[in-house]
């Protein structure tokens, strides 16, 4: 019975905390921040989009900035011995 009373008490507390009271000077934001104004969201999205556009453009046109300035070896020129493949005549 005590556990049931505790459960009821906890459920009442949780129910009350989910109801956010409104005040005349604005909304109460419990454990969260106030939403950003629409103007700031648009500016932030524009900056973020242009940053990604610039990064992907640079990576497409100059991938050696990320991958390095070395020449990749041609795998077709590797020998079986270099790859560790035994010769065909061994049984």
């Amino acid at each position: 019975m005590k556990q049931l009373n505790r459960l009821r008490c906890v459920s009442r507390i949780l129910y009350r905390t989910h109801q956010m009271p409104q005040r005349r000077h604005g909304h109460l934001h419990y454990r969260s921040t106030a939403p950003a104004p629409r103007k700031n969201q648009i500016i932030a999205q524009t900056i973020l989009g242009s940053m990604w556009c610039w990064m992907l453009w640079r990576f497409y046109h100059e991938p050696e900035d990320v991958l390095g300035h070395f020449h990749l070896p041609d795998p077709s020129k590797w020998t079986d011995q270099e790859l560790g493949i035994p010769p065909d005549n061994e049984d």
Side-chain angles (χ1 to χ4, degrees):
M1 193 61 146
K2 289 182 181 181
Q3 293 177 350
L4 184 60
N5 287 336
R6 287 182 186 169
L7 183 62
R8 286 181 187 158
C9 181
V10 169
S11 67
R12 286 180 189 156
I13 291 172
L14 292 175
Y15 179 73
R16 288 180 187 158
T17 56
H18 287 293
Q19 295 176 347
M20 297 301 224
Q22 294 183 0
R23 298 184 180 189
R24 291 187 180 190
H25 57 80
H27 296 284
L28 175 65
H29 298 283
Y30 180 71
R31 292 189 181 183
S32 66
T33 59
R38 182 77 175 143
K39 178 182 174 185
N40 290 356
Q41 290 178 357
I42 292 171
I43 291 170
Q45 290 292 328
T46 304
I47 291 171
L48 184 66
S50 60
M51 180 204 64
W52 274 107
C53 183
W54 180 78
M55 286 175 50
L56 293 174
W57 178 267
R58 294 275 301 182
F59 183 73
Y60 180 73
H61 288 283
E62 298 178 16
E64 59 271 352
D65 289 347
V66 177
L67 301 176
H69 296 282
F70 57 90
H71 297 288
L72 296 175
D74 185 14
S76 64
K77 295 181 180 177
W78 293 341
T79 63
D80 289 344
Q81 185 180 8
E82 290 175 336
L83 295 175
I85 300 173
D88 291 336
N89 58 5
E90 287 186 14
D91 291 328

